[in-house]
Amino acid sequence: MDNKTNQRLSLGGMLVTLGIVYGDIGTSPLYVMNAIISDAGKMQDTIPEYIIGSASLIFWTLMIITTVKYVFIAMRADNNHEGGIFALYALIRNRARWLIFPALIGGAALLADGTLTPAVSVTSAIEGLKGQHLGPIEFSNNQLVVVLVVTAILLGVFLIQHFGTAIIGRSFGPIMLLWFIFIGVTGFMSMLTHLEILKAFSPYYAIQFLFSPVNKAGLFILGSVFLATTGAEALYSDMGHVGRKNIYGSWPFVYLMLTLSYLGQGAWVIGHYQDAAYRNLLNVNPFYEMLPEQIRLFAIVIATLAAIIASQALITGSYTLVNEAIGLKFLPRMLIKRPSNIRNQMYIPTVNWFLCIITLGIVWLFQTSQHMEAAYGLAITITMLMTTLLLFEFIKDKINQWAALGMVLFFGIIEVLFLTASLVKFAHGGYLTLFITLVILFVMVVWYFGNKLRENYERTSEYVSLMDYRKQLIQLSNDSTELLYATNLVYMTKVGPHYSIKRKVLYSILDKRPKRAKVYWFVTVNETDAPYESQYTVDMLGTRNIINVQLYLGFKNAQHVNVYVRQIVNDLIDQKVIDSQYPKYTTLKNRRVGDFKFVITMEQLMDLATDPKMSRWDRLLIGGRIFLQNITTSPAIWYGLKFSEVVEEPIPLMLYDPEILRLNQKEIRHAVKDTDQ
């Protein structure tokens, strides 16, 4: 779906929405009630009051967090129809400096916690196979077999990313539709056996349960309840893929099916918590147990497919999130591939294999879904809290400060409670996602603030006006005594207000070795807040061969500078602004554009003598930023110049101050002539 058509409400759009948006939240019934039973201790402790209170908490958590906060409020904060924490930040970032901190923290936590989604959902689905019969075949009860099957499935999912998922993606919607109908119908049938579970619709039972003595976990029960709404942030992030109206149209159906599934599982527990076969068990999954034997195998198959779709949605969502972070200069440049012609579909190898290694590591570290559930959800509560802080600034501007304050207090208090409850998960595996969060956050902080510091130091270094060097550049271009370096010499550098440019760029052209070209191009790439903006301006500086190009590309747009520059050359030739460049030798008839050579200056951090006034902290951030630049995707690949002729010139971040590096003359010795010779 393209960005325009997906804004319309349609049955096809809602079907696609089921496959893209609801994978995470839609597979929560596989493990939420299991986690709540584990909090009670043994199955015999899950008395009706406990289950009705838990089901009520789940229902109202989905209502307050997912429906009210994300569907009704957050999705109004769209950035040109795009959603998610980074799109929200891009929308409001100019209003206050402090907004950068919740954006960085929330984005890092969202990426980190997502590594658990594929592991816990696929493992929960495959665990249903234990002890099942398929004709003469009986599946083993050995958890190692489950781990091996889960590993094979997840590895396959990560391997196919390279080829693109456009074809199989078309089947996601129908499969998820079947999944939601299945969990809703089976939940409804089970619910009919114990209709007292319908008391869960009253918030009274949710509040009473939190302080009831039957709830041995106390407020910490919220850590398990929260698992039911972990996909809410993904719902907001995927808004740009399917459109707000299609989420509005499909969410009531999804919410109803989820509610029926949870109520059905709760009814089954009420009916079986005293059974001799279950009462002493510590780990029971009511999702599978409430199903008749005849359809259980089908349930496992459809649950596995839904879990794979949830994993796929998480992976592609991570690509989108990282792409946005790169555009906002939160993360270093990474190689981004487009495996199909679908605009939103991309493949980032670094992210793919990072997720693969971490996810498979989690599977082998925790082994069972019960252990994974104990670690799941801690980091995402941080992301939700950070989104609330960003929404405060949005609502303050759109409505008023009091409405914003009321919103942040209401949702903030609830999410702080969830965060506090989830802290108990730290010792049970939450430390892993928090560690990953801190690693990602550290990279973001170094890259973002390293960039800011570098720009500040550059502002104090020597800048010159490009206008002052027009005459020299024109003379060099016409000087036939110098060898022609390139027909079109393109410098990827920033030209600021009043034509300010780093002196080092002109030093490269005029001093190192005069680089004669027919046309000099100075190209500035500006990332904009509009996700898919694609525009340019041209300033000829009163000449026909010195051109200042400003590209304006949205933070979700891929950068293919060679394609853009070639288009601009043809546009200017058509407009007779520059001369045609008919090459002497070519395989193309009527070719009128000459060769290109792109120059990219590669900054290197010099030793401490460069600037003794630089603090240790500044040096750490700037040095870390340059280190990340050198080990990640090169600027040539980032700018789409892989198949172009590119010159990468190393330059110091700051020029040496001659006064600092000045040598004191000690003495001069003159050679004595030998008069005897």
Side-chain angles (χ1 to χ4, degrees):
M1 300 174 69
D2 61 53
N3 198 258
K4 293 181 180 179
T5 58
N6 68 12
Q7 301 308 314
R8 297 194 297 266
L9 177 65
S10 66
L11 288 175
M14 288 191 290
L15 188 63
V16 171
T17 301
L18 290 177
I20 293 178
V21 173
Y22 300 115
D24 189 358
I25 202 167
T27 52
S28 296
L30 286 170
Y31 48 80
V32 172
M33 197 61 74
N34 187 19
I36 286 172
I37 292 173
S38 297
D39 287 339
K42 294 182 179 180
M43 181 72 168
Q44 64 184 359
D45 298 319
T46 57
I47 62 176
E49 183 183 349
Y50 182 89
I51 290 300
I52 292 171
S54 298
S56 185
L57 281 173
I58 291 172
F59 175 81
W60 286 103
T61 297
L62 285 170
M63 175 64 76
I64 294 171
I65 299 297
T66 309
T67 307
V68 177
K69 177 186 171 182
Y70 282 97
V71 176
F72 289 164
I73 297 177
M75 289 198 339
R76 290 290 177 182
D78 69 291
N79 187 345
N80 291 279
H81 308 301
E82 295 292 329
I85 191 166
F86 287 153
L88 175 59
Y89 167 74
L91 184 67
I92 61 173
R93 60 176 166 176
N94 293 325
R95 298 177 193 170
R97 289 185 178 181
W98 65 270
L99 296 172
I100 183 62
F101 297 104
L104 291 176
I105 295 170
L110 184 59
L111 281 170
D113 206 70
T115 57
L116 267 167
T117 300
V120 70
S121 57
V122 176
T123 302
S124 298
I126 298 301
E127 281 178 341
L129 282 172
K130 294 168 71 173
Q132 298 298 313
H133 296 268
L134 181 58
I137 302 174
E138 180 179 354
F139 291 95
S140 171
N141 279 310
N142 191 336
Q143 188 66 25
L144 180 60
V145 175
V146 172
V147 171
L148 290 172
V149 173
V150 171
T151 300
I153 291 173
L154 290 176
L155 190 58
V157 170
F158 284 107
L159 283 171
I160 66 171
Q161 302 304 312
H162 176 74
F163 302 101
T165 55
I167 297 176
I168 62 173
R170 298 190 189 105
S171 65
F172 285 179
I175 291 173
M176 290 304 294
L177 175 62
L178 178 61
W179 165 253
F180 283 117
I181 292 174
F182 177 79
I183 66 173
V185 170
T186 55
F188 178 75
M189 298 302 293
S190 177
M191 183 186 71
L192 294 177
T193 61
H194 286 276
L195 289 176
E196 62 264 37
I197 193 67
L198 294 177
K199 293 178 181 178
F201 287 122
S202 170
Y204 168 79
Y205 291 95
I207 297 170
Q208 181 193 49
F209 173 66
L210 281 176
F211 305 99
S212 171
V214 303
N215 174 22
K216 298 175 184 177
L219 286 175
F220 292 108
I221 192 72
L222 293 175
S224 295
V225 171
F226 183 75
L227 298 178
T229 193
T230 52
E233 190 73 38
L235 180 149
Y236 178 38
S237 298
D238 288 328
M239 180 173 64
H241 294 261
V242 298
R244 177 196 300 155
K245 292 181 180 179
N246 287 314
I247 294 178
Y248 285 163
S250 56
W251 172 244
F253 165 75
V254 172
Y255 188 14
L256 175 62
M257 296 300 104
L258 290 172
T259 300
L260 290 174
S261 181
Y262 288 123
L263 294 180
Q265 292 181 50
W268 179 88
V269 175
I270 291 173
H272 294 82
Y273 76 99
Q274 291 181 321
D275 289 0
Y278 297 106
R279 59 182 301 161
N280 291 316
L281 294 181
L282 299 173
N283 183 22
V284 179
N285 192 334
F287 176 81
Y288 287 122
E289 295 297 332
M290 73 178 183
L291 301 175
E293 289 284 345
Q294 314 80 285
I295 66 170
R296 195 169 292 179
L297 191 60
F298 170 78
I300 294 167
V301 172
I302 191 69
T304 303
L305 290 174
I308 291 172
I309 291 171
S311 302
Q312 177 62 47
L314 178 278
I315 295 167
T316 53
S318 296
Y319 296 157
T320 302
L321 196 66
V322 169
N323 185 45
E324 292 174 355
I326 293 170
L328 292 168
K329 296 185 178 180
F330 289 170
L331 285 174
R333 298 161 179 159
M334 300 180 198
L335 177 62
I336 300 174
K337 297 182 178 181
R338 306 278 170 173
S340 74
N341 293 325
I342 299 176
R343 183 177 202 179
N344 287 324
Q345 189 168 106
M346 66 190 75
Y347 170 65
I348 306 179
T350 304
V351 177
N352 187 68
W353 297 116
F354 171 80
L355 287 174
C356 180
I357 292 169
I358 299 299
T359 301
L360 294 181
I362 287 170
V363 170
W364 283 90
L365 177 64
F366 294 110
Q367 300 279 313
T368 68
S369 62
Q370 184 182 14
H371 292 154
M372 294 176 198
E373 291 154 13
Y376 191 31
L378 174 55
I380 203 69
T381 57
I382 299 173
T383 300
M384 288 188 172
L385 195 54
M386 297 303 105
T387 299
T388 298
L389 294 177
L390 294 177
L391 284 172
F392 167 79
E393 194 65 33
F394 175 81
I395 294 174
K396 186 176 73 171
D397 181 69
K398 291 294 181 181
I399 305 178
N400 58 57
Q401 186 170 353
W402 295 111
L405 188 61
M407 184 279 304
V408 77
L409 286 176
F410 179 72
F411 291 109
I413 290 171
I414 293 173
E415 287 163 355
V416 166
L417 286 175
F418 277 118
L419 177 60
T420 303
S422 297
L423 287 176
V424 74
K425 299 183 177 188
F426 181 84
H428 299 286
Y431 60 85
L432 183 60
T433 50
L434 282 183
F435 174 75
I436 299 170
T437 298
L438 291 174
V439 170
I440 297 172
L441 181 61
F442 176 76
V443 173
M444 286 182 168
V445 167
V446 168
W447 187 258
Y448 180 81
F449 288 103
N451 265 326
K452 291 295 182 184
L453 284 171
R454 183 195 60 157
E455 291 170 1
N456 288 338
Y457 275 98
E458 284 178 344
R459 289 191 191 104
T460 62
S461 64
E462 187 178 359
Y463 270 74
V464 295
S465 172
L466 189 56
M467 297 292 283
D468 295 338
Y469 291 85
R470 284 186 305 170
K471 185 177 295 186
Q472 286 196 58
L473 291 173
I474 293 171
Q475 288 176 348
L476 176 58
S477 180
N478 296 325
D479 188 353
S480 59
T481 63
E482 293 286 346
L483 293 175
L484 187 66
Y485 189 72
T487 304
N488 295 283
L489 184 58
V490 184
Y491 272 81
M492 302 301 303
T493 188
K494 183 176 182 179
V495 178
H498 310 295
Y499 304 100
S500 63
I501 191 171
K502 295 177 188 177
R503 184 175 67 85
K504 290 172 281 193
V505 173
L506 291 165
Y507 181 88
S508 169
I509 300 174
L510 301 172
D511 294 279
K512 294 186 74 172
R513 173 205 161 189
K515 295 181 176 67
R516 179 181 166 228
K518 290 186 178 179
V519 183
Y520 293 98
W521 301 82
F522 301 93
V523 178
T524 305
V525 178
N526 302 285
E527 289 92 1
T528 69
D529 293 342
Y532 290 108
E533 184 174 353
S534 182
Q535 299 184 52
Y536 75 91
T537 62
V538 167
D539 188 340
M540 301 297 299
L541 280 73
T543 73
R544 290 184 68 84
N545 68 336
I546 304 174
I547 306 173
N548 170 24
V549 176
Q550 299 284 333
L551 294 176
Y552 297 92
L553 304 177
F555 63 88
K556 278 197 169 187
N557 254 344
Q559 304 196 41
H560 299 289
V561 174
N562 59 334
V563 177
Y564 298 144
V565 171
R566 190 170 292 275
Q567 176 202 325
I568 294 170
V569 172
N570 280 290
D571 289 349
L572 297 183
I573 291 175
D574 288 341
Q575 297 163 16
K576 302 186 184 306
V577 176
I578 64 173
D579 301 324
S580 296
Q581 305 169 353
Y582 297 107
K584 189 174 182 180
Y585 304 103
T586 179
T587 60
L588 304 174
K589 291 184 178 180
N590 302 319
R591 177 176 173 178
R592 56 180 183 171
V593 179
D595 64 284
F596 288 84
K597 186 171 287 187
F598 292 84
V599 179
I600 298 174
T601 54
M602 301 291 290
E603 293 170 339
Q604 304 293 329
L605 189 64
M606 306 303 286
D607 57 50
L608 287 170
T610 307
D611 190 348
K613 296 179 182 178
M614 184 184 291
S615 70
R616 182 175 298 178
W617 175 246
D618 289 357
R619 180 162 294 280
L620 173 65
L621 287 176
I622 296 175
R625 188 265 178 215
I626 293 176
F627 171 76
L628 290 172
Q629 169 191 291
N630 292 337
I631 65 171
T632 52
T633 301
S634 70
I637 294 177
W638 171 250
Y639 286 125
L641 305 175
K642 183 177 180 181
F643 300 106
S644 302
E645 188 173 354
V646 180
V647 176
E648 295 185 350
E649 285 192 354
I651 60 171
L653 176 63
M654 293 162 288
L655 296 177
Y656 283 114
D657 185 342
E659 293 302 318
I660 294 176
L661 300 177
R662 185 179 180 85
L663 291 172
N664 293 320
Q665 188 181 81
K666 187 175 183 180
E667 64 175 319
I668 299 178
R669 292 186 180 183
H670 297 281
V672 179
K673 293 183 179 180
D674 190 346
T675 55
D676 295 334
Q677 295 183 1

